Amino acid sequence: MTARREYHVVLGALCALLSWFTVYSWSAMVEDPGRFLGPTFTAALIVAVIGASLRTLGIPWWGVLAAQLLALTAWLHHRLGAGDELGGWLPTRQGLRFVAEQIRDGASQVNTYSAPIEADQVQAPVYLLATALAVVIAVDLLAGGLHRAPWAGLPVLVAVTVPISVLDSALPKIPLAGAAATYLALIAYARTEEVLGWGQRPESPRDVARPSPISAGPAFGIGILTTLAALTLPAFVPVGSGVLGSGGDGTGPGSGAGSITLENPLVDLRRDLQRDANIPLLDATTAAAPDYLRMTVLDRFNGSSWVPGPRKFPVANRVGGELPDPEGITAQTPGNTSEWLLRTSTAFRTSWLPLPSVTRSLAVDRGDWRYDSTTLDVANTDDRPPGSLSYSAVGFAPTIEVSALVDAGPTNSELQAQMTRVPNLDAEVTAIARRVTAGARTDYARAARLQRWFRTTGGFTYSLDPAPGAGMEQLVRFLTTDKIGYCEQYAAAMAVMARALGIPARVVVGFLKPTVLSPGSYRYTSSDLHAWTEIYFGGTGWVRFEPTPGARTGSPPSWTLDDVPAPAPVAPTPTPTRAPPSTPATPQPQDQVVSVESSSAQPVVVGILVALALVTLTLLPGIVRRGQRGRRTAAREDARAEVEDLWRELRATATDLRVKWPEGRSARSVALTLAAASSPTDADLALLDALVALVERARYRHVFDLDEQERATARAAVQRWSALLALAASRRAVRSARWFPRSTLSRAGTATRTRTAERDLDLTEVR
């Protein structure tokens, strides 16, 4: 094997390993990661073999990339069974459409369900595989095709950040360590190309200088910094929901079958209910008949999902005594007061404290817990919420009179505007809501009819296995042809329909009624996690309604059962079966004053990733270029290498400034071109002539050495002529050279030793 072929084979293998180790960090996102990890390894080998073979033959990077993309397309087409032509290896239009549909369905499942996605969601691994192929191609293109090994850290950084932004548990340490080690090895090994780039065929592989981490110089330092960034920056990304930001149920179960972690307000209700683990989460002792416990409210609808509105948790709102009453509740409001003692299990960690709907005082044994003045949600602001928590609360259950709801006064104009906002509302949702509530004269009657429609007259069925999907389109399908789902779908749908009628509404997340352990002692389990709808009535405040069918919830609240005429059945319209919109995660509260934006956490994650990528793309080329300049202008023990490095630096400067550099010509021919492109003085020409003479001696003399005077002259020539070329270039070219130097993406940084000496040319002829 020739040295050049060996170089490309090893470099391709390192790129394949780096890609696979990086993609391995996604393994916790699905229950059966082997369904995409194994194929990813195969795809990485395909890319490495094609890349090494074609690059050895001298095929340009764009040709290699095209061949790799064609091969991966044919391989994926065959693997998914998209066609029969040539055993499925020949992509057809119909087959490619099938592949695209599989990937799109997988993306929908990844966005709809929380990690780890169950094995029965068969398209999710297909989407992860397709995304992994993009990582494989990006790493190989940057390191092998464009010869910019440090830049291969960019796709690695983004790929590793994604699972950290959506998972509660830590990523596997061995794959991350493997990715870091492989990346540093890639940076070091890529140094070999500088020797191969001289254009000489070594007599044996021993003629090729093997790099070491120390000899890799600034590039190795960049590799270390990028690796550290890839492993540490994701820790600062807020926890999100889903991968692409348009859905997801929350975080779901933690690592292990016997634990639940709730750092987000809308947990993976379907998974925790469906697995029927009935994990004990919260024990309560109270003399009152236990009612629903709430954790937080989702009071913003962004057009596809319910998300939390702005939250603030200042130090002044740290709990440890009385809490303010919610709007509509006063000291004179009739009702029953009860004392609660609550304790979370060791299997339950939550950032949002389960409490009675109205809590008048609260004391927590440990942790920094604070309340938001608007929603009265109580959240933990520590880096990690404590487990096995004990706390006491005084709850208040107001007496709700139907007459007060029927005769409710006007709603605050600001609250009315905020709590009836529905962006991108589908006209069919409004039409259905109006038909269901036809004839109702009050908001109370409309809300009661909506609840009755979902629970009894609308033909809905409670199920833990709804079709995947999210957004307004899926909501319409849920209301028309699907009509099957669990509590999240019902709560979200009723709240949207209420808002469509101009009724203030929101979604609440918490627990259903618990299991009785003994008189006065109760237990809430993972099976009791629940979501419901609240409607606002002037003079009373937020009132709970229960749209989820009785198979799950039993009887609805007594105040929602007033005798109102049942609406006429609504005829379904034919639409494909899908699930309603799911709600994303709540941002983790921060220390001091925390403000949570109205959008979901995932757009924040995407924004951070985009900003990080933009900053990196802006700064990294300049950092790489400065590192190259520092290495090339440094003193070397090898005099030939030192002169070649200085000549290479001058060539890189000309490339950055868009100055023509004749390829394959002698050093003196190049010098004539540079002189013609600038305005040199006689002294400048003398410096360039001295540098050219040193380059010629270094290339063609059997014995070559430099004294200090020659070394200083060569450096002065490179420095002076770099300045002359910059003075002659346009401002745009100078700015481009500073922020995005072209030489970092071209072969300009590798000097080529000419095999045949051309006749000497006197530089003074240009004067």
Side-chain angles (χ1 to χ4, degrees), residues 702-731:
H702 181 67
V703 177
F704 175 74
D705 201 0
L706 281 175
D707 58 33
E708 291 304 320
Q709 180 62 36
E710 290 172 330
R711 180 175 283 111
T713 299
R715 282 177 174 69
V718 172
Q719 182 177 4
R720 176 57 184 165
W721 275 87
S722 295
L724 285 175
L725 295 177
L727 290 173
S730 65
R731 292 183 178 180

PDB file of all heavy atoms in Angstrom, residues 702-731:
ATOM      1  N   HIS A 702      21.244  19.710  -2.684  1.00  0.00           N
ATOM      2  CA  HIS A 702      21.313  18.482  -1.904  1.00  0.00           C
ATOM      3  C   HIS A 702      21.492  18.788  -0.429  1.00  0.00           C
ATOM      4  O   HIS A 702      20.887  18.132   0.431  1.00  0.00           O
ATOM      5  CB  HIS A 702      22.464  17.614  -2.414  1.00  0.00           C
ATOM      6  CG  HIS A 702      22.583  16.315  -1.667  1.00  0.00           C
ATOM      7  ND1 HIS A 702      21.625  15.328  -1.744  1.00  0.00           N
ATOM      8  CD2 HIS A 702      23.556  15.866  -0.824  1.00  0.00           C
ATOM      9  CE1 HIS A 702      21.983  14.324  -0.983  1.00  0.00           C
ATOM     10  NE2 HIS A 702      23.150  14.604  -0.411  1.00  0.00           N
ATOM     11  N   VAL A 703      22.324  19.791  -0.131  1.00  0.00           N
ATOM     12  CA  VAL A 703      22.554  20.202   1.250  1.00  0.00           C
ATOM     13  C   VAL A 703      22.068  21.639   1.388  1.00  0.00           C
ATOM     14  O   VAL A 703      22.439  22.511   0.589  1.00  0.00           O
ATOM     15  CB  VAL A 703      24.043  20.102   1.634  1.00  0.00           C
ATOM     16  CG1 VAL A 703      24.245  20.606   3.064  1.00  0.00           C
ATOM     17  CG2 VAL A 703      24.544  18.668   1.480  1.00  0.00           C
ATOM     18  N   PHE A 704      21.242  21.870   2.372  1.00  0.00           N
ATOM     19  CA  PHE A 704      20.686  23.221   2.543  1.00  0.00           C
ATOM     20  C   PHE A 704      20.639  23.550   4.026  1.00  0.00           C
ATOM     21  O   PHE A 704      20.262  22.732   4.863  1.00  0.00           O
ATOM     22  CB  PHE A 704      19.278  23.298   1.949  1.00  0.00           C
ATOM     23  CG  PHE A 704      18.601  24.621   2.193  1.00  0.00           C
ATOM     24  CD1 PHE A 704      18.988  25.750   1.478  1.00  0.00           C
ATOM     25  CD2 PHE A 704      17.599  24.746   3.146  1.00  0.00           C
ATOM     26  CE1 PHE A 704      18.370  26.975   1.719  1.00  0.00           C
ATOM     27  CE2 PHE A 704      16.983  25.958   3.383  1.00  0.00           C
ATOM     28  CZ  PHE A 704      17.371  27.076   2.660  1.00  0.00           C
ATOM     29  N   ASP A 705      21.017  24.799   4.326  1.00  0.00           N
ATOM     30  CA  ASP A 705      20.952  25.276   5.704  1.00  0.00           C
ATOM     31  C   ASP A 705      20.683  26.774   5.676  1.00  0.00           C
ATOM     32  O   ASP A 705      20.857  27.440   4.640  1.00  0.00           O
ATOM     33  CB  ASP A 705      22.251  24.974   6.446  1.00  0.00           C
ATOM     34  CG  ASP A 705      22.049  24.990   7.955  1.00  0.00           C
ATOM     35  OD1 ASP A 705      20.895  25.237   8.378  1.00  0.00           O
ATOM     36  OD2 ASP A 705      23.012  24.768   8.694  1.00  0.00           O
ATOM     37  N   LEU A 706      20.244  27.310   6.795  1.00  0.00           N
ATOM     38  CA  LEU A 706      19.939  28.732   6.925  1.00  0.00           C
ATOM     39  C   LEU A 706      20.780  29.332   8.036  1.00  0.00           C
ATOM     40  O   LEU A 706      20.928  28.728   9.106  1.00  0.00           O
ATOM     41  CB  LEU A 706      18.461  28.935   7.286  1.00  0.00           C
ATOM     42  CG  LEU A 706      17.409  28.833   6.188  1.00  0.00           C
ATOM     43  CD1 LEU A 706      16.023  28.938   6.805  1.00  0.00           C
ATOM     44  CD2 LEU A 706      17.603  29.926   5.156  1.00  0.00           C
ATOM     45  N   ASP A 707      21.308  30.546   7.759  1.00  0.00           N
ATOM     46  CA  ASP A 707      21.920  31.280   8.866  1.00  0.00           C
ATOM     47  C   ASP A 707      20.878  32.270   9.386  1.00  0.00           C
ATOM     48  O   ASP A 707      19.803  32.449   8.816  1.00  0.00           O
ATOM     49  CB  ASP A 707      23.207  31.981   8.425  1.00  0.00           C
ATOM     50  CG  ASP A 707      22.984  32.947   7.264  1.00  0.00           C
ATOM     51  OD1 ASP A 707      21.888  33.555   7.191  1.00  0.00           O
ATOM     52  OD2 ASP A 707      23.894  33.103   6.421  1.00  0.00           O
ATOM     53  N   GLU A 708      21.209  32.942  10.486  1.00  0.00           N
ATOM     54  CA  GLU A 708      20.244  33.839  11.117  1.00  0.00           C
ATOM     55  C   GLU A 708      19.865  35.004  10.222  1.00  0.00           C
ATOM     56  O   GLU A 708      18.717  35.460  10.220  1.00  0.00           O
ATOM     57  CB  GLU A 708      20.810  34.345  12.449  1.00  0.00           C
ATOM     58  CG  GLU A 708      20.908  33.275  13.530  1.00  0.00           C
ATOM     59  CD  GLU A 708      19.563  32.611  13.793  1.00  0.00           C
ATOM     60  OE1 GLU A 708      18.538  33.328  13.806  1.00  0.00           O
ATOM     61  OE2 GLU A 708      19.538  31.382  13.972  1.00  0.00           O
ATOM     62  N   GLN A 709      20.828  35.537   9.448  1.00  0.00           N
ATOM     63  CA  GLN A 709      20.537  36.653   8.556  1.00  0.00           C
ATOM     64  C   GLN A 709      19.528  36.228   7.475  1.00  0.00           C
ATOM     65  O   GLN A 709      18.576  36.953   7.173  1.00  0.00           O
ATOM     66  CB  GLN A 709      21.831  37.148   7.911  1.00  0.00           C
ATOM     67  CG  GLN A 709      21.641  38.329   6.949  1.00  0.00           C
ATOM     68  CD  GLN A 709      21.083  39.560   7.652  1.00  0.00           C
ATOM     69  OE1 GLN A 709      21.436  39.818   8.805  1.00  0.00           O
ATOM     70  NE2 GLN A 709      20.210  40.298   6.984  1.00  0.00           N
ATOM     71  N   GLU A 710      19.732  35.045   6.888  1.00  0.00           N
ATOM     72  CA  GLU A 710      18.816  34.561   5.853  1.00  0.00           C
ATOM     73  C   GLU A 710      17.430  34.281   6.442  1.00  0.00           C
ATOM     74  O   GLU A 710      16.402  34.561   5.799  1.00  0.00           O
ATOM     75  CB  GLU A 710      19.387  33.286   5.228  1.00  0.00           C
ATOM     76  CG  GLU A 710      20.622  33.534   4.377  1.00  0.00           C
ATOM     77  CD  GLU A 710      21.265  32.242   3.925  1.00  0.00           C
ATOM     78  OE1 GLU A 710      21.153  31.228   4.671  1.00  0.00           O
ATOM     79  OE2 GLU A 710      21.890  32.231   2.849  1.00  0.00           O
ATOM     80  N   ARG A 711      17.424  33.751   7.650  1.00  0.00           N
ATOM     81  CA  ARG A 711      16.137  33.473   8.297  1.00  0.00           C
ATOM     82  C   ARG A 711      15.371  34.769   8.544  1.00  0.00           C
ATOM     83  O   ARG A 711      14.158  34.846   8.279  1.00  0.00           O
ATOM     84  CB  ARG A 711      16.375  32.727   9.611  1.00  0.00           C
ATOM     85  CG  ARG A 711      15.110  32.386  10.368  1.00  0.00           C
ATOM     86  CD  ARG A 711      15.388  31.548  11.607  1.00  0.00           C
ATOM     87  NE  ARG A 711      15.641  30.156  11.273  1.00  0.00           N
ATOM     88  CZ  ARG A 711      16.800  29.551  11.398  1.00  0.00           C
ATOM     89  NH1 ARG A 711      17.854  30.226  11.841  1.00  0.00           N
ATOM     90  NH2 ARG A 711      16.947  28.278  11.081  1.00  0.00           N
ATOM     91  N   ALA A 712      16.062  35.813   9.019  1.00  0.00           N
ATOM     92  CA  ALA A 712      15.404  37.096   9.268  1.00  0.00           C
ATOM     93  C   ALA A 712      14.934  37.730   7.962  1.00  0.00           C
ATOM     94  O   ALA A 712      13.843  38.321   7.892  1.00  0.00           O
ATOM     95  CB  ALA A 712      16.353  38.036  10.012  1.00  0.00           C
ATOM     96  N   THR A 713      15.730  37.607   6.909  1.00  0.00           N
ATOM     97  CA  THR A 713      15.348  38.174   5.607  1.00  0.00           C
ATOM     98  C   THR A 713      14.095  37.488   5.054  1.00  0.00           C
ATOM     99  O   THR A 713      13.185  38.143   4.533  1.00  0.00           O
ATOM    100  CB  THR A 713      16.505  38.020   4.611  1.00  0.00           C
ATOM    101  OG1 THR A 713      17.648  38.730   5.102  1.00  0.00           O
ATOM    102  CG2 THR A 713      16.116  38.580   3.247  1.00  0.00           C
ATOM    103  N   ALA A 714      14.039  36.164   5.182  1.00  0.00           N
ATOM    104  CA  ALA A 714      12.878  35.423   4.683  1.00  0.00           C
ATOM    105  C   ALA A 714      11.608  35.829   5.421  1.00  0.00           C
ATOM    106  O   ALA A 714      10.547  36.043   4.804  1.00  0.00           O
ATOM    107  CB  ALA A 714      13.118  33.926   4.822  1.00  0.00           C
ATOM    108  N   ARG A 715      11.696  35.980   6.713  1.00  0.00           N
ATOM    109  CA  ARG A 715      10.511  36.388   7.484  1.00  0.00           C
ATOM    110  C   ARG A 715      10.100  37.810   7.146  1.00  0.00           C
ATOM    111  O   ARG A 715       8.905  38.115   7.030  1.00  0.00           O
ATOM    112  CB  ARG A 715      10.781  36.260   8.981  1.00  0.00           C
ATOM    113  CG  ARG A 715      10.682  34.833   9.472  1.00  0.00           C
ATOM    114  CD  ARG A 715      11.018  34.708  10.956  1.00  0.00           C
ATOM    115  NE  ARG A 715      10.775  33.357  11.411  1.00  0.00           N
ATOM    116  CZ  ARG A 715      11.473  32.302  11.062  1.00  0.00           C
ATOM    117  NH1 ARG A 715      12.515  32.460  10.257  1.00  0.00           N
ATOM    118  NH2 ARG A 715      11.160  31.093  11.491  1.00  0.00           N
ATOM    119  N   ALA A 716      11.077  38.678   7.000  1.00  0.00           N
ATOM    120  CA  ALA A 716      10.772  40.059   6.634  1.00  0.00           C
ATOM    121  C   ALA A 716      10.108  40.119   5.263  1.00  0.00           C
ATOM    122  O   ALA A 716       9.188  40.923   5.033  1.00  0.00           O
ATOM    123  CB  ALA A 716      12.046  40.899   6.661  1.00  0.00           C
ATOM    124  N   ALA A 717      10.544  39.266   4.333  1.00  0.00           N
ATOM    125  CA  ALA A 717       9.953  39.251   2.992  1.00  0.00           C
ATOM    126  C   ALA A 717       8.490  38.819   3.050  1.00  0.00           C
ATOM    127  O   ALA A 717       7.621  39.431   2.414  1.00  0.00           O
ATOM    128  CB  ALA A 717      10.746  38.315   2.088  1.00  0.00           C
ATOM    129  N   VAL A 718       8.192  37.768   3.814  1.00  0.00           N
ATOM    130  CA  VAL A 718       6.807  37.303   3.913  1.00  0.00           C
ATOM    131  C   VAL A 718       5.932  38.355   4.573  1.00  0.00           C
ATOM    132  O   VAL A 718       4.809  38.637   4.124  1.00  0.00           O
ATOM    133  CB  VAL A 718       6.755  35.978   4.697  1.00  0.00           C
ATOM    134  CG1 VAL A 718       5.317  35.581   4.986  1.00  0.00           C
ATOM    135  CG2 VAL A 718       7.462  34.878   3.930  1.00  0.00           C
ATOM    136  N   GLN A 719       6.445  38.976   5.625  1.00  0.00           N
ATOM    137  CA  GLN A 719       5.665  39.993   6.319  1.00  0.00           C
ATOM    138  C   GLN A 719       5.407  41.201   5.428  1.00  0.00           C
ATOM    139  O   GLN A 719       4.281  41.706   5.353  1.00  0.00           O
ATOM    140  CB  GLN A 719       6.392  40.412   7.597  1.00  0.00           C
ATOM    141  CG  GLN A 719       5.630  41.433   8.433  1.00  0.00           C
ATOM    142  CD  GLN A 719       6.358  41.767   9.720  1.00  0.00           C
ATOM    143  OE1 GLN A 719       7.471  41.300   9.961  1.00  0.00           O
ATOM    144  NE2 GLN A 719       5.745  42.596  10.543  1.00  0.00           N
ATOM    145  N   ARG A 720       6.449  41.666   4.736  1.00  0.00           N
ATOM    146  CA  ARG A 720       6.309  42.853   3.897  1.00  0.00           C
ATOM    147  C   ARG A 720       5.383  42.593   2.717  1.00  0.00           C
ATOM    148  O   ARG A 720       4.500  43.399   2.416  1.00  0.00           O
ATOM    149  CB  ARG A 720       7.689  43.305   3.403  1.00  0.00           C
ATOM    150  CG  ARG A 720       7.661  44.476   2.441  1.00  0.00           C
ATOM    151  CD  ARG A 720       6.955  45.680   3.042  1.00  0.00           C
ATOM    152  NE  ARG A 720       6.855  46.777   2.090  1.00  0.00           N
ATOM    153  CZ  ARG A 720       6.045  47.825   2.234  1.00  0.00           C
ATOM    154  NH1 ARG A 720       5.268  47.898   3.320  1.00  0.00           N
ATOM    155  NH2 ARG A 720       6.000  48.781   1.334  1.00  0.00           N
ATOM    156  N   TRP A 721       5.546  41.444   2.046  1.00  0.00           N
ATOM    157  CA  TRP A 721       4.739  41.180   0.869  1.00  0.00           C
ATOM    158  C   TRP A 721       3.303  40.814   1.233  1.00  0.00           C
ATOM    159  O   TRP A 721       2.383  41.061   0.439  1.00  0.00           O
ATOM    160  CB  TRP A 721       5.394  40.105   0.008  1.00  0.00           C
ATOM    161  CG  TRP A 721       6.414  40.735  -0.891  1.00  0.00           C
ATOM    162  CD1 TRP A 721       7.715  40.983  -0.605  1.00  0.00           C
ATOM    163  CD2 TRP A 721       6.165  41.262  -2.190  1.00  0.00           C
ATOM    164  NE1 TRP A 721       8.325  41.627  -1.644  1.00  0.00           N
ATOM    165  CE2 TRP A 721       7.393  41.807  -2.646  1.00  0.00           C
ATOM    166  CE3 TRP A 721       5.065  41.326  -3.020  1.00  0.00           C
ATOM    167  CZ2 TRP A 721       7.519  42.417  -3.893  1.00  0.00           C
ATOM    168  CZ3 TRP A 721       5.179  41.924  -4.269  1.00  0.00           C
ATOM    169  CH2 TRP A 721       6.395  42.460  -4.695  1.00  0.00           C
ATOM    170  N   SER A 722       3.075  40.309   2.405  1.00  0.00           N
ATOM    171  CA  SER A 722       1.701  40.115   2.872  1.00  0.00           C
ATOM    172  C   SER A 722       1.010  41.459   3.028  1.00  0.00           C
ATOM    173  O   SER A 722      -0.161  41.632   2.654  1.00  0.00           O
ATOM    174  CB  SER A 722       1.682  39.360   4.201  1.00  0.00           C
ATOM    175  OG  SER A 722       2.189  38.045   4.046  1.00  0.00           O
ATOM    176  N   ALA A 723       1.765  42.454   3.559  1.00  0.00           N
ATOM    177  CA  ALA A 723       1.202  43.793   3.711  1.00  0.00           C
ATOM    178  C   ALA A 723       0.970  44.456   2.357  1.00  0.00           C
ATOM    179  O   ALA A 723      -0.050  45.125   2.141  1.00  0.00           O
ATOM    180  CB  ALA A 723       2.128  44.644   4.575  1.00  0.00           C
ATOM    181  N   LEU A 724       1.920  44.277   1.409  1.00  0.00           N
ATOM    182  CA  LEU A 724       1.756  44.877   0.081  1.00  0.00           C
ATOM    183  C   LEU A 724       0.526  44.318  -0.638  1.00  0.00           C
ATOM    184  O   LEU A 724      -0.239  45.070  -1.269  1.00  0.00           O
ATOM    185  CB  LEU A 724       3.013  44.622  -0.764  1.00  0.00           C
ATOM    186  CG  LEU A 724       4.256  45.464  -0.438  1.00  0.00           C
ATOM    187  CD1 LEU A 724       5.433  44.995  -1.275  1.00  0.00           C
ATOM    188  CD2 LEU A 724       3.982  46.941  -0.686  1.00  0.00           C
ATOM    189  N   LEU A 725       0.332  43.014  -0.548  1.00  0.00           N
ATOM    190  CA  LEU A 725      -0.828  42.413  -1.196  1.00  0.00           C
ATOM    191  C   LEU A 725      -2.128  42.900  -0.567  1.00  0.00           C
ATOM    192  O   LEU A 725      -3.134  43.107  -1.264  1.00  0.00           O
ATOM    193  CB  LEU A 725      -0.741  40.893  -1.109  1.00  0.00           C
ATOM    194  CG  LEU A 725       0.419  40.235  -1.873  1.00  0.00           C
ATOM    195  CD1 LEU A 725       0.415  38.730  -1.643  1.00  0.00           C
ATOM    196  CD2 LEU A 725       0.340  40.546  -3.362  1.00  0.00           C
ATOM    197  N   ALA A 726      -2.127  43.100   0.751  1.00  0.00           N
ATOM    198  CA  ALA A 726      -3.324  43.609   1.418  1.00  0.00           C
ATOM    199  C   ALA A 726      -3.621  45.041   0.993  1.00  0.00           C
ATOM    200  O   ALA A 726      -4.781  45.425   0.814  1.00  0.00           O
ATOM    201  CB  ALA A 726      -3.159  43.522   2.935  1.00  0.00           C
ATOM    202  N   LEU A 727      -2.556  45.868   0.831  1.00  0.00           N
ATOM    203  CA  LEU A 727      -2.754  47.250   0.393  1.00  0.00           C
ATOM    204  C   LEU A 727      -3.315  47.320  -1.021  1.00  0.00           C
ATOM    205  O   LEU A 727      -4.109  48.207  -1.351  1.00  0.00           O
ATOM    206  CB  LEU A 727      -1.430  48.021   0.472  1.00  0.00           C
ATOM    207  CG  LEU A 727      -0.907  48.328   1.883  1.00  0.00           C
ATOM    208  CD1 LEU A 727       0.482  48.949   1.802  1.00  0.00           C
ATOM    209  CD2 LEU A 727      -1.872  49.269   2.607  1.00  0.00           C
ATOM    210  N   ALA A 728      -2.932  46.362  -1.843  1.00  0.00           N
ATOM    211  CA  ALA A 728      -3.390  46.376  -3.235  1.00  0.00           C
ATOM    212  C   ALA A 728      -4.777  45.760  -3.393  1.00  0.00           C
ATOM    213  O   ALA A 728      -5.432  45.978  -4.425  1.00  0.00           O
ATOM    214  CB  ALA A 728      -2.392  45.624  -4.113  1.00  0.00           C
ATOM    215  N   ALA A 729      -5.235  45.008  -2.404  1.00  0.00           N
ATOM    216  CA  ALA A 729      -6.529  44.333  -2.506  1.00  0.00           C
ATOM    217  C   ALA A 729      -7.659  45.278  -2.132  1.00  0.00           C
ATOM    218  O   ALA A 729      -7.460  46.324  -1.496  1.00  0.00           O
ATOM    219  CB  ALA A 729      -6.546  43.101  -1.608  1.00  0.00           C
ATOM    220  N   SER A 730      -8.864  44.914  -2.506  1.00  0.00           N
ATOM    221  CA  SER A 730     -10.042  45.704  -2.159  1.00  0.00           C
ATOM    222  C   SER A 730     -10.381  45.515  -0.684  1.00  0.00           C
ATOM    223  O   SER A 730      -9.944  44.556  -0.040  1.00  0.00           O
ATOM    224  CB  SER A 730     -11.236  45.275  -3.014  1.00  0.00           C
ATOM    225  OG  SER A 730     -11.602  43.932  -2.728  1.00  0.00           O
ATOM    226  N   ARG A 731     -11.187  46.468  -0.153  1.00  0.00           N
ATOM    227  CA  ARG A 731     -11.588  46.344   1.240  1.00  0.00           C
ATOM    228  C   ARG A 731     -12.389  45.070   1.476  1.00  0.00           C
ATOM    229  O   ARG A 731     -12.285  44.433   2.524  1.00  0.00           O
ATOM    230  CB  ARG A 731     -12.419  47.565   1.649  1.00  0.00           C
ATOM    231  CG  ARG A 731     -11.628  48.866   1.687  1.00  0.00           C
ATOM    232  CD  ARG A 731     -12.512  50.000   2.174  1.00  0.00           C
ATOM    233  NE  ARG A 731     -11.772  51.244   2.261  1.00  0.00           N
ATOM    234  CZ  ARG A 731     -12.306  52.405   2.656  1.00  0.00           C
ATOM    235  NH1 ARG A 731     -13.591  52.451   2.994  1.00  0.00           N
ATOM    236  NH2 ARG A 731     -11.565  53.489   2.702  1.00  0.00           N
TER     237      ARG A 731
END
